[in-house]
Amino acid sequence: MNDSDYMKLAIELAKKGEGAVSPNPMVGAVIVKDGRIIGQGYHERYGEKHAERNAIASCAESAEGATIYVTLEPCCHYGKQPPCTEAVISAGIKRVVVGSRDPNPLVSGKGNEMLRKNGIIVEEDFMKEECDSINYVFFHYITKKMPYVIMKYAMTMDGKIAAYTGDSRWVTGDEARKLVHSDRNRYTGIMVGSQTVLNDDPMLTCRIPGGRNPIRIICDTRLRTPICSDIVNSADRIRTIIATGSSAASRYDGYEKKGCEMITVNEKDGHIDIKELMKTLADMKIDSVLLEGGGTLNFAALNAGVVNRVQAYIAPKIIGGRMAPSPVGGTGKAKMSEAVVLKNSTIKKIGSDYMIESEVVTDVYGDN
C-alpha cells in the first residue's frame, strides 16, 4: 500500500460518521508504522472523540515515529474535545499527511503550524479534492454561516410531480425512494410547506435500518398545519420545528403541548422570509436542509438564493394534465436570462428511474 491507499482508507472511515457528527465534519485517520497499519479511527458521533484520538487509542503498539493520514487538518483548540494536535504530539507521531484544510477560523492553518513547531513533518493538500468532497456541507456551513440546502423532487418525464387530482404515490420506484431515505439520514433537517402536510400528511422520517430521523421543519406562514396531523402527533418523539409568520403566541399552545418548537419569522412577499429562516436554523446548529416541498416553497427558496444543490428524480412516465403540478411553481422568472443556472451536473440510473444532480451556480451569499 502507498500514501494514496492509506488516505483512501481514511476517507472511507470518515464516511462512517455520516448523519451522526453534524455540525462537525466527517473525519477519518489511519496510522502507519514500518509499512503496517497499526491504528485507525473516525469521528463517530458529535461531541465524542475525534478521528485522530480514536486512531491513536486503537493502536496495538506505540505510534512513536509513525505517520498518520487524516482527511482534515487536526484541530488545535478546546471544544467538546481537547485538541487533536496535542494527542498527535504526545503519541510521538513524526509525519502527518493532511487532506483538507480546515476553514474554521479556530483551526485554519493553526493546527498544521502547531505540529510543525513541534518538529513534525506535515504534508498538506494530499488528495485534497477527494477529501474536500465528503465535507461540502461543513465547509459551506462554516464559511457562509448558513445551512447547505438540497432541493429534491421526483417528477415524471413530462415534468409533473403529481396528477391533476393531487395523487403522487408513487412517482418513482423503490430504489429511488431508498436513496431519498439515505439522504434523510445524511442531512440534518428536512423541510416542507404547510400545503404538503395538508395534502399528504407525511411523517418525513428515515426508514433505513439504523438510520437517524432528520429534524422536521414546516414552513407555515398562516399556521395551517393540522394539530391532528401525523407530524404534529409524533413531535414528542421526533424533533419538529414549525416556522410561521403568525405572531399570536396563544395559537402556539396546542402545537407546543404536542412537542413542536415554534419559530416566528418575518414575512416577505406574503410568505415567511426563507433567508431569515435559514439564518435562524444555522444559529440552531442545523447545518443542512433537505428541501422536499412543493412548487411554491421550491420557487421561494430558489428566489431567496438559499438553494445550493438540486436533485431531480425522473421517472420514465408521462401523466399529462394542464393542471398537474410541476416541481417549481410560484410566479416564475419573467425572462430566460433570469433563470437559475446549474453546474457540475451528473446523471445516475437508479432502478428504472434517473437522478440528475446539479449545483446552483451562485447564491445571494456569494459563490457556492
Side-chain angles (χ1 to χ4, degrees):
M1 296 180 70
N2 55 30
D3 286 351
S4 296
D5 294 323
Y6 297 131
M7 187 61 83
K8 286 176 184 177
L9 176 57
I11 291 171
E12 291 307 308
L13 288 167
K15 291 177 181 177
K16 291 185 176 183
E18 186 175 274
V21 301
S22 63
N24 281 355
M26 292 181 283
V27 185
V30 175
I31 300 175
V32 178
K33 185 175 182 178
D34 300 327
R36 298 173 292 112
I37 296 175
I38 64 169
Q40 55 187 324
Y42 65 98
H43 185 29
E44 299 177 12
R45 190 167 299 278
Y46 176 70
E48 296 182 3
K49 287 182 181 179
H50 292 179
E52 298 92 325
R53 288 184 176 272
N54 280 332
I56 291 168
S58 77
C59 289
E61 62 184 89
S62 170
E64 187 172 357
T67 295
I68 186 169
Y69 298 82
V70 60
T71 57
L72 183 71
E73 178 181 359
C75 66
C76 56
H77 66 98
Y78 282 87
K80 290 185 177 294
Q81 293 292 327
C84 289
T85 49
E86 288 186 0
V88 172
I89 294 165
S90 297
I93 290 171
K94 289 302 178 184
R95 177 175 173 245
V96 179
V97 180
V98 178
S100 300
R101 302 192 188 202
D102 194 333
N104 187 338
L106 295 173
V107 182
S108 192
K110 301 182 182 71
N112 290 339
E113 184 60 28
M114 176 78 68
L115 296 173
R116 289 192 177 103
K117 285 182 178 178
N118 282 271
I120 296 174
I121 298 169
V122 179
E123 297 179 20
E124 297 175 313
D125 300 332
F126 185 76
M127 293 179 62
K128 181 180 184 300
E129 185 176 343
E130 293 90 334
C131 292
D132 284 356
S133 69
I134 63 175
N135 280 314
Y136 56 87
V137 167
F138 172 72
F139 294 150
H140 178 84
Y141 178 68
I142 286 294
T143 59
K144 306 294 185 182
K145 310 300 181 187
M146 296 288 284
Y148 191 94
V149 179
I150 306 92
M151 188 177 82
K152 167 262 168 186
Y153 53 83
M155 68 180 187
T156 59
M157 198 170 282
D158 57 335
K160 308 297 184 181
I161 61 174
Y164 74 90
T165 60
D167 179 64
S168 61
R169 295 188 178 181
W170 296 102
V171 175
T172 53
D174 291 341
E175 292 86 350
R177 295 201 298 277
K178 286 178 183 176
L179 187 56
V180 169
H181 284 286
S182 177
D183 278 344
R184 289 184 180 184
N185 173 69
R186 178 178 189 176
Y187 299 115
T188 304
I190 183 169
M191 180 181 290
V192 298
S194 57
Q195 192 62 51
T196 295
V197 179
L198 287 165
N199 291 346
D200 302 334
D201 196 17
M203 282 292 286
L204 305 179
T205 52
C206 173
R207 296 165 199 166
I208 59 175
R212 172 198 57 85
N213 289 321
I215 299 168
R216 303 176 302 184
I217 306 155
I218 305 171
C219 294
D220 190 352
T221 308
R222 301 287 172 255
L223 204 52
R224 301 185 301 154
T225 300
I227 288 285
C228 61
S229 62
D230 285 343
I231 199 167
V232 172
N233 282 324
S234 58
D236 60 337
R237 305 188 308 275
I238 305 169
R239 189 177 177 190
T240 303
I241 298 169
I242 299 179
T244 180
S246 174
S247 58
S250 60
R251 298 187 64 196
Y252 293 1
D253 291 347
Y255 297 101
E256 290 176 333
K257 286 178 181 177
K258 295 275 190 174
C260 297
E261 299 174 38
M262 306 300 294
I263 300 176
T264 304
V265 183
N266 290 319
E267 291 187 30
K268 185 175 182 180
D269 300 326
H271 302 283
I272 62 172
D273 188 328
I274 297 293
K275 182 179 175 182
E276 178 187 323
L277 172 59
M278 290 298 174
K279 288 180 178 178
T280 300
L281 295 177
D283 291 341
M284 298 169 70
K285 294 188 175 181
I286 296 175
D287 65 348
S288 53
V289 173
L290 187 61
L291 184 63
E292 291 197 16
T296 300
L297 180 58
N298 285 347
F299 179 75
L302 286 167
N303 218 31
V306 301
V307 178
N308 303 100
R309 184 173 296 215
V310 177
Q311 292 180 341
Y313 289 83
I314 303 174
K317 303 174 182 177
I318 292 178
I319 196 167
R322 183 175 55 186
M323 301 304 293
S326 62
V328 181
T331 57
K333 301 293 186 179
K335 298 178 181 179
M336 191 61 68
S337 60
E338 298 173 352
V340 176
V341 180
L342 309 177
K343 66 178 181 180
N344 298 333
S345 298
T346 60
I347 302 175
K348 298 177 185 176
K349 191 173 191 304
I350 306 166
S352 61
D353 306 307
Y354 294 85
M355 193 261 278
I356 301 178
E357 186 171 34
S358 307
E359 298 172 35
V360 179
V361 171
T362 58
D363 61 20
V364 293
Y365 318 113
D367 293 338
N368 282 340

